[in-house]
Amino acid sequence: MSEPARSRWGFLPLLRWGAFGRSWRAAPLVVTGLTLFLGLLAFSWLGPLVYPRSPYTIHPHALFRAPSVRHPLGTDDLGRSFLARMMYGGRPSLGVAIVGSILALLIGLAYGMASGLSPVWLDRVFMRILDAILALPTLVLMIFFAAIVPLRPLSLILLLGLLSWPGLARIVRNEVLAYKGRDYILAARQYGAGTGYLARTHLLRSMFPVVIVNATFTVADLILTLAGLSFLGLGIQPPEPSWGGLLGNGSNLAITGSWWLIFFPGFAILLAILSMNLVGQGLLNRLEGR
Amino acid sequence: MWAMIMRRLSVSVISLALLVTLVFFMIHATPGGPAYSILGSHASPEAVAALNRQMGLDRPLLDQYGIWWDHLLEGRLGYSYIQHVGVSRLIGVYLDRTLALDLGALALAILVSLVVGLLQGYWADRLGGRIIGFLQIVFYAMPVFFTGILLIYVFSIRLDWLPPGGVGHPGWVGRLRHLTLPVLTLALPVSAGFSRYFGHQAREEYRQDYVRTARARGLSEWRIATRHVLRNAVRPFVTLVGMMIPVLFVGGVLTESVFNYPGLGWLLWRSALDQDYPTLSAITLLIGVLTILGNLVADLLNSILDVRVRYE
């Protein structure tokens, strides 16, 4: 990990579009994961353009239809097109998790930077509090909060973001400690750079790869958590579709033998989590030079 | 050593204080306050005011906060106005079911991951090892509520072999039958996490010189695996269990809900849906305290073992 910043940047060309084949050979996990995830995003946001059916229109004469040419992913207990519901359901399932992760990332960056750049005694206080927060059971607290706050996408974003930043904060703080004694930082200070400037430019740039890796894991975590909450009826509220909610509904209807109501949403959640984990793991392997 | 223990203890104390405070203030931030959740949302303002006076909810928030701590330290957890029973009595009934599920899953996961981890280490760079590695990634990402419902669909609805949920009648055959699917569901992601770690350890051990020596001495692969590799690979066992405690607890909450298995996690879920705030806050506190203590014990054991290893 004591390598200069150049090799840590080595993975960045992967994110450029032109060199797909080369990138795949260099980092198969990252490219596979990114492709899968982009595919899911396209399915959710662009899919309705290709298949313009309403996810809310009820068809009383076509209940519980199995997947066929007419109903690509079947229909649910109210005869609604399940493909349309899967597409629209992807938007909150992925969107809330992504925005929640960005929020967690911002809070984590602010807390970690503040802690790492503080005098030693204050840093200790910051870290002691962080340890205490990390020991709390996040999902249990989320269920607890979900019972109290009104469940709208915005409040879910806040809920997920506010409860999942501590892990990122610790990583940021450790990165700050690793870099703040380096020569180039000291040199910048000699030239009169302020702490805020150092944090914004040098430190942020140096820790970027590590932070990105952990942010991808956070996205995967939040997709799982949100799906779990929606499955329990404590996340995105019906009739608004979400993958977790659809799976919950499907499991209540499992007795009717409608396997498609269980398999497709569950598989979509699994793919989303898996793809983000693959990206994270692939980037991590590159970082550690494996 | 003592300094470390004191530092670790102080972290746990802060955690506990944070947890209790968070739960208190969130409960009191509920729209309309707790009175509405007891009387229903159509209660008249007079009735709410009367109940607030009777329950002391009209007193200053800080006074109530002090009383809240007093009651908690005395072990008084409140009264569930939905189930009409003291929360402490409720918890007694549900706790042992949760322990049965969690410990069963933990035991199964340890067993499975020992075998899988050894195989993975043995097959390190061969196809078998790769397949195991791939399955670990998939199963670790697999949400328990998806696994659970798939198992229910296959084994309860299609094949009708096992019950889809509940606890069944007293008697251990019935209980075991009802525990089978939830335990499998919960053990799956835990096994994936465990065996990935074990597999890594076992792989390192298989590269050591003593394994080559043992092979040269003509020991059977079975003997090498059980007597040598396993014994060395399980050393960081406590760390592992400590790391997996959150996965186990959280997975347990979701698993219980999928299978309608009435343990603490199920009670947490139901009380959240019913907005039964006394039960909800008591369970949140209880699971929170268990998690914090679990982490503490794992960390302390770890550092004690670490010291011993260092002086060996």
Side-chain angles (χ1 to χ4, degrees):
Chain A
M1 295 301 272
S2 60
E3 285 292 297
R6 193 172 154 272
S7 72
R8 300 184 128 202
W9 280 93
F11 78 97
L12 267 187
L14 301 177
L15 302 177
R16 217 184 296 142
W17 273 110
F20 189 85
R22 196 149 33 95
S23 313
W24 198 85
R25 275 190 300 282
L29 291 184
V30 179
V31 177
T32 312
L34 267 186
T35 312
L36 273 176
F37 197 72
L38 288 176
L40 287 171
L41 288 178
F43 173 77
S44 310
W45 269 273
L46 305 179
L49 300 179
V50 182
Y51 183 78
R53 290 276 286 275
S54 160
Y56 303 109
T57 315
I58 293 170
H59 297 284
H61 303 295
L63 312 181
F64 294 116
R65 293 287 158 83
S68 64
V69 179
R70 202 147 163 235
H71 307 287
L73 295 188
T75 64
D76 67 0
D77 52 326
L78 297 175
R80 294 173 291 197
S81 162
F82 204 57
L83 177 57
R85 288 186 73 69
M86 284 292 294
M87 285 169 172
Y88 283 94
R91 294 181 179 185
S93 308
L94 300 174
V96 168
I98 292 171
V99 182
S101 307
I102 294 173
L103 179 62
L105 185 61
L106 292 178
I107 302 175
L109 272 176
Y111 193 96
M113 288 268 192
S115 178
L117 292 170
S118 296
V120 177
W121 67 270
L122 192 58
D123 177 47
R124 276 205 194 130
V125 174
F126 269 121
M127 280 300 111
R128 201 68 65 87
I129 295 172
L130 195 65
D131 281 337
I133 299 174
L134 274 168
L136 299 174
T138 315
L139 184 99
V140 172
L141 281 180
M142 281 189 192
I143 293 178
F144 173 75
F145 286 141
I148 292 168
V149 299
L151 295 169
R152 280 190 285 272
L154 181 65
S155 53
L156 285 170
I157 287 173
L158 289 176
L159 192 66
L160 294 175
L162 290 178
L163 281 174
S164 43
W165 57 269
L168 285 164
R170 161 169 299 190
I171 287 156
V172 169
R173 177 260 186 182
N174 288 345
E175 288 288 299
V176 171
L177 288 197
Y179 284 108
K180 80 172 177 183
R182 295 282 180 89
D183 289 343
Y184 71 99
I185 300 281
L186 298 180
R189 266 201 201 285
Q190 283 295 309
Y191 279 109
T195 305
Y197 173 81
L198 281 177
R200 268 200 319 276
T201 56
H202 294 301
L203 289 176
L204 201 56
R205 201 169 290 178
S206 305
M207 67 176 65
F208 179 72
V210 174
V211 168
I212 285 296
V213 167
N214 288 286
T216 56
F217 287 130
T218 308
V219 173
D221 267 1
L222 291 195
I223 291 172
L224 175 64
T225 308
L226 179 67
L229 284 176
S230 305
F231 177 86
L232 295 177
L234 295 165
I236 309 286
Q237 295 296 302
E240 185 77 31
S242 72
W243 290 342
L246 292 178
L247 183 59
N249 190 41
S251 69
N252 289 334
L253 299 166
I255 200 81
T256 64
S258 320
W259 57 268
W260 58 95
L261 298 182
I262 297 166
F263 179 76
F264 293 123
F267 191 63
I269 298 168
L270 176 62
L271 267 191
I273 298 169
L274 200 59
S275 61
M276 269 294 136
N277 277 343
L278 285 181
V279 175
Q281 189 62 48
L283 290 178
L284 196 64
N285 290 351
R286 297 279 300 184
L287 272 184
E288 292 176 354
R290 268 188 265 157
Chain B
M1 179 75 197
W2 282 110
M4 196 287 302
I5 292 178
M6 288 317 288
R7 195 169 62 226
R8 191 60 192 77
L9 274 178
S10 74
V11 167
S12 292
V13 170
I14 300 174
S15 289
L16 290 173
L18 208 63
L19 179 73
V20 170
T21 310
L22 216 59
V23 169
F24 173 83
F25 283 104
M26 280 310 288
I27 285 291
H28 285 264
T30 53
Y36 274 103
S37 66
I38 295 165
L39 296 171
S41 52
H42 300 294
S44 68
E46 294 80 32
V48 170
L51 189 73
N52 276 343
R53 202 161 38 251
Q54 186 196 335
M55 291 174 48
L57 289 168
D58 55 348
R59 293 164 65 175
L61 205 56
L62 279 180
D63 283 10
Q64 291 188 50
Y65 181 60
I67 296 170
W68 167 257
W69 268 106
D70 276 354
H71 285 183
L72 283 183
L73 292 178
E74 287 168 17
R76 285 160 59 184
L77 294 174
Y79 184 86
S80 165
Y81 290 89
I82 304 235
Q83 308 218 21
H84 294 288
V85 62
V87 173
S88 337
R89 288 193 48 201
L90 266 183
I91 287 172
V93 180
Y94 291 86
L95 181 62
D96 64 331
R97 296 201 192 114
T98 293
L99 285 179
L101 172 63
D102 286 4
L103 293 180
L106 185 65
L108 181 65
I110 290 172
L111 209 68
V112 169
S113 48
L114 281 181
V115 176
V116 173
L118 265 183
L119 280 177
Q120 193 181 14
Y122 183 63
W123 285 332
D125 288 317
R126 273 177 276 173
L127 184 65
R130 296 243 171 98
I131 292 176
I132 292 177
F134 174 74
L135 289 180
Q136 282 164 340
I137 292 180
V138 172
F139 285 137
Y140 193 71
M142 185 107 169
V144 285
F145 44 90
F146 187 34
T147 324
I149 197 67
L150 283 180
L151 289 179
I152 290 178
Y153 186 79
V154 174
F155 291 102
S156 307
I157 294 173
R158 284 287 152 195
L159 298 173
D160 198 19
W161 286 356
L162 288 163
V167 275
H169 299 297
W172 63 272
V173 179
R175 273 197 83 171
L176 270 186
R177 273 170 55 82
H178 281 81
L179 263 175
T180 310
L181 290 183
V183 164
L184 278 179
T185 304
L186 185 52
L188 194 67
V190 183
S191 308
F194 267 155
S195 64
R196 204 169 164 71
Y197 195 86
F198 267 131
H200 193 72
Q201 293 296 121
R203 187 177 169 171
E204 296 297 305
E205 293 301 327
Y206 265 112
R207 284 185 183 157
Q208 302 293 316
D209 287 340
Y210 73 83
V211 171
R212 202 173 353 145
T213 314
R215 282 195 181 129
R217 276 168 58 208
L219 294 186
S220 69
E221 284 298 328
W222 171 251
R223 212 180 154 82
I224 294 174
T226 51
R227 291 293 169 85
H228 295 281
V229 176
L230 190 63
R231 194 170 286 181
N232 286 314
V234 296
R235 236 186 229 167
F237 183 71
V238 181
T239 324
L240 209 54
V241 174
M243 259 165 36
M244 284 322 238
I245 282 177
V247 180
L248 202 64
F249 274 13
V250 166
V253 171
L254 288 163
T255 309
E256 288 177 8
S257 311
V258 176
F259 288 94
N260 266 311
Y261 179 85
L264 282 183
W266 179 86
L267 193 58
L268 177 78
W269 173 50
R270 292 312 310 181
S271 53
L273 280 183
D274 297 340
Q275 311 212 313
D276 179 357
Y277 294 127
T279 315
L280 180 66
S281 51
I283 307 280
T284 306
L285 287 175
L286 186 70
I287 300 185
V289 170
L290 286 178
T291 313
I292 292 169
L293 290 184
N295 281 335
L296 175 69
V297 170
D299 273 8
L300 287 183
L301 274 179
N302 225 346
S303 62
I304 291 169
L305 291 180
D306 236 20
V307 168
R308 206 199 58 202
V309 169
R310 217 177 299 145
Y311 287 118
E312 252 174 14

